[in-house]
Structure formats: structure tokens, C-alpha cells
Amino acid sequence: MVSGAERAGLPVPALKELFAHIPTSVAVITIASGAGRYGVTVGTLSVLSLEPALVAFALKADSGLLPHLHTGRAAGINVLADGQSDVALRFATASIDRFNSTRWCEEHSLPRIDDGVAWLAVRVEDRIVLGDHTLVTARVEHGETSRLTPLLHWRRDFHSPNPIASAI
Ligand SMILES: Cc1cc2nc3c(=O)[nH]c(=O)nc-3n(C[C@H](O)[C@H](O)[C@H](O)COP(=O)(O)O)c2cc1C
């Protein structure tokens, strides 16, 4: 079967290679679920708008988190620091207790992973199916930052940014 990417002239392996060269931040989306909690690693976090304060991330169609993220649902966004590649991998692993051996606390009734670069408490606004992913847009209600260095994902590996001289 010929995929959409192949019809567009890019074989799927070439497209995957191309996308792997786009560096991304690494974040864990968390929700409280009854007495438990759920979290998933994403590399698709984007800032969308200042007024109103909107961010977005994309989840694949078979994501276990997606069915929970209806409009109005509260969620946490944990932007990971450069020492947290183990956390990123844990929250991308199936069939384990992802919060076990993760240092986290509860904030605004949401699970917050300790020692991240930034923490956002958001409320889901909208969901837009786009190809094989669903874009989830969310309004920022609370946020906190740290002075830690972010974790980056690039060419299928984790990296720490090299600071360069400020442009301004
Ligand atoms: C660095 C990194 C970035 C990822 N980005 C995404 C993403 O943006 N969207 C997504 O759906 N899965 C992404 N994943 C994969 C999910 O974390 C992984 O498939 C996870 O097991 C999904 O959990 P779930 O099945 O409980 O939803 C990423 C994984 C890693 C390691």
C-alpha cells in the first residue's frame, strides 16, 4: 500500500529521518485520574498564543491519554530539564507504573514532576484531528519556571543545549 507521504514523493523512512532532524523540547503531559494519575512524554509542545494564553501538543491516534483530554479537562505540562532523559523514557514506556521511581508532587490537584524547567497547569480548549495525530490546544492557568537547562530531543537522541552568547 502506498502511504500519503510516499504519494507526496517522500518514502516514510526519509520522512522519519527528516522529522528526526527537527529539534524539540521534551515534556510530560500529566492528569489526575480518579485515585491514580497518568502521564505521557511528548515532543510536540508548542506555544500558540499570548492573548489568550494557549499552548498545544499532538497525541497519536492510539494514545491512551487522548480519551481523557476532553474540553475543560485540567492537565499539567512538565517541561523536562537536561538531567531528566530517564523520566522522558519512563513516560514513553508501556505497561509500567510511570510515576514509580519518579519524583513528583501534587499541585493544583495535578501531578507535577519535580525538577523540570517549567510547569504549566492548563485546561483543554479544543482537539483537532490532523492526520495520524490529534492536536490538543489548552489554555494556561498557572505557570512556574526554574533556572535549569532544558532537555532537547534531536536525531533520536537526548541533548543538552550549548549556551551561546546572547543576541541582545
Ligand atoms: C522524546 C519523545 C517524544 C515523544 N513525543 C510524542 C508526541 O508528541 N506525541 C505522542 O503521541 N507520543 C509521543 N511520544 C511517544 C509516547 O510517549 C509513547 O508512545 C507513550 O508510550 C504513549 O503512552 P500512552 O500509550 O499511554 O498514551 C514521544 C516519545 C519520546 C521518547
Side-chain angles (χ1 to χ4, degrees), residues 24-27 38-45 57-66 88-95 98 133 151 153 157-158:
T24 73
S25 65
V26 185
Y38 203 141
V40 171
T41 299
V42 299
T44 49
L45 178 65
F57 52 89
L59 291 173
K60 54 191 176 183
D62 64 354
S63 161
L65 180 61
L66 193 54
L89 289 174
R90 198 173 308 134
F91 282 83
T93 303
S95 309
R98 297 170 178 170
H133 278 57
L151 180 66
H153 195 253
D157 216 343
F158 294 103

Side-chain angles (χ1 to χ4, degrees), residues 5-116:
E6 280 166 340
R7 273 198 299 276
L10 277 172
V12 171
L15 189 61
K16 283 186 175 173
E17 186 65 18
L18 180 65
F19 286 175
H21 278 70
I22 300 175
T24 73
S25 65
V26 185
V28 176
I29 312 300
T30 54
I31 58 166
S33 179
R37 57 208 69 85
Y38 203 141
V40 171
T41 299
V42 299
T44 49
L45 178 65
S46 294
V47 171
L48 286 187
S49 160
L50 267 180
E51 186 54 53
L54 292 173
V55 295
F57 52 89
L59 291 173
K60 54 191 176 183
D62 64 354
S63 161
L65 180 61
L66 193 54
H68 299 278
L69 293 182
H70 50 78
T71 300
R73 180 76 191 244
I77 300 180
N78 303 266
V79 183
L80 298 183
D82 66 349
Q84 294 186 301
S85 56
D86 57 333
V87 177
L89 289 174
R90 198 173 308 134
F91 282 83
T93 303
S95 309
I96 59 165
D97 180 350
R98 297 170 178 170
F99 285 87
N100 195 17
S101 66
T102 301
R103 290 195 295 124
W104 65 279
C105 57
E106 198 179 278
E107 192 154 325
H108 298 293
S109 305
L110 291 164
R112 173 180 175 168
I113 295 171
D114 294 352
D115 304 322

Side-chain angles (χ1 to χ4, degrees), residues 99-151:
F99 285 87
N100 195 17
S101 66
T102 301
R103 290 195 295 124
W104 65 279
C105 57
E106 198 179 278
E107 192 154 325
H108 298 293
S109 305
L110 291 164
R112 173 180 175 168
I113 295 171
D114 294 352
D115 304 322
V117 162
W119 153 256
L120 294 79
V122 303
R123 207 163 283 278
V124 174
E125 288 261 313
D126 214 347
R127 294 159 47 126
I128 305 157
V129 177
L130 294 169
D132 53 16
H133 278 57
T134 296
L135 190 73
V136 179
T137 64
R139 190 180 287 246
V140 180
E141 296 187 334
H142 304 280
E144 268 179 44
T145 57
S146 79
R147 295 183 64 83
L148 295 168
T149 307
L151 180 66

